């Protein structure tokens, strides 16, 4: 029942982009008090010689709830810029209760599909990265309808955001543009990037 904040650090356009972590010292502590947070003394997830600029992660569980997954974007090369793909990999926990993300996976690695996926019983069913989505800054919502929804930056969205949906975290369907700003009634007019969506009491909220 620990509380964590996993955040990106460094310049997002460089291959040194990485993740670090804050941990609330006590689950009942006031999260608005900076003194109640412990900061990791080193990155908790960073690139390798084959994977560059990992960042902007979100988290979800397998369809049966038995496995934990990190979803993040990486740069497609070492050149400064924002050409990125999106990857999915399972992570574990240390005996101290800390997330252990391991190393970012390469495009040559294959993995068993998340547990509880439809057709999982088919012997040898695997997936590879990157995921078939065309944006960066991925955010995953597992909604009450038991479907996954991914929101992010790009994919041709005009003054807003597009989304994908999935039943298993691996196969994604484009849902088109789901939010458009820069209108007379909108609360934002430009620089649309890195959305997050939460469900609360049957309503959805975008940040």
């Amino acid at each position: 029942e620990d509380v964590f904040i996993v955040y990106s650090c460094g310049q997002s356009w460089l291959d040194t982009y990485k993740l670090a972590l804050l941990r609330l010292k006590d689950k009942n502590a006031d999260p608005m008090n900076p003194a109640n947070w412990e900061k990791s003394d080193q990155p908790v997830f960073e690139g390798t010689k084959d994977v560059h600029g990992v960042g902007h992660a979100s988290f979800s569980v397998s369809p049966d709830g038995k496995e934990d997954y990190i979803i993040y974007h990486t740069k497609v090369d070492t050149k400064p810029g924002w050409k990125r793909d999106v990857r999915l990999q399972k992570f574990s926990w240390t005996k101290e209760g800390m997330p252990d993300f391991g190393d970012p996976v390469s495009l040559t690695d294959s993995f068993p599909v998340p547990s509880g996926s439809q057709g999982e019983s088919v012997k040898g069913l695997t997936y590879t990265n990157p995921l078939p989505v065309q944006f960066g800054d991925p955010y995953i919502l597992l909604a009450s309808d038991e479907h996954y929804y991914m929101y992010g930056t790009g994919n041709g969205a005009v003054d807003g955001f597009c989304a994908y949906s999935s039943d298993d975290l691996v196969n994604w369907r484009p849902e088109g543009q789901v939010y458009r700003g820069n209108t007379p009634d909108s609360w934002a007019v430009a620089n649309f990037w890195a959305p997050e969506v939460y469900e609360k009491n049957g309503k959805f909220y975008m940040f």
Side-chain angles (χ1 to χ4, degrees):
E1 297 184 1
D2 284 326
V3 178
F4 301 98
I5 295 177
V6 178
Y7 61 95
S8 303
C9 51
Q11 295 88 348
S12 62
W13 59 93
L14 297 182
D15 61 355
T16 52
Y17 206 40
K18 58 184 73 71
L19 299 179
L21 178 145
L22 297 173
R23 183 181 192 178
L24 196 62
K25 293 179 180 179
D26 184 277
K27 66 179 181 179
N28 297 314
D30 179 6
M32 301 304 292
N33 184 349
N36 289 333
W37 292 94
E38 297 175 329
K39 183 180 179 180
S40 59
D41 57 4
Q42 58 186 0
V44 295
F45 197 57
E46 56 186 330
T48 66
K49 64 181 181 65
D50 299 315
V51 184
H52 317 292
V54 298
H56 206 97
S58 64
F59 307 92
S60 195
V61 296
S62 59
D64 61 7
K66 295 180 179 180
E67 298 173 341
D68 296 305
Y69 282 85
I70 179 174
I71 300 94
Y72 58 96
H73 68 216
T74 74
K75 290 173 55 59
V76 299
D77 55 41
T78 58
K79 298 177 182 177
W82 290 278
K83 292 182 178 180
R84 301 166 293 192
D85 60 33
V86 176
R87 305 188 189 192
L88 169 78
Q89 67 186 78
K90 186 168 65 172
F91 70 92
S92 59
W93 298 84
T94 69
K95 63 181 181 180
E96 294 79 22
M98 298 290 288
D100 182 0
F101 301 123
D103 293 323
V105 298
S106 74
L107 299 181
T108 60
D109 296 327
S110 62
F111 304 93
V113 297
S115 62
S117 300
Q118 185 177 10
E120 180 196 7
S121 60
V122 177
K123 185 175 181 180
L125 190 61
T126 61
Y127 76 94
T128 58
N129 285 290
L131 296 180
V133 298
Q134 301 298 318
F135 52 37
D137 304 324
Y139 180 80
I140 297 286
L141 169 70
L142 176 54
S144 58
D145 64 1
E146 299 184 354
H147 295 298
Y148 300 93
Y149 297 92
M150 185 189 299
Y151 306 85
T153 304
N155 194 34
V158 178
D159 292 332
F161 303 112
C162 290
Y164 291 82
S165 64
S166 175
D167 301 318
D168 57 13
L169 288 173
V170 172
N171 300 289
W172 292 90
R173 300 176 294 271
E175 299 292 349
Q177 186 156 345
V178 296
Y179 172 77
R180 183 181 295 273
N182 194 21
T183 68
D185 298 323
S186 67
W187 46 263
V189 296
N191 301 321
F192 296 92
W193 54 280
E196 296 189 10
V197 177
Y198 297 84
E199 182 181 9
K200 179 71 172 179
N201 297 328
K203 295 184 178 181
F204 296 85
Y205 301 86
M206 176 176 282
F207 297 86

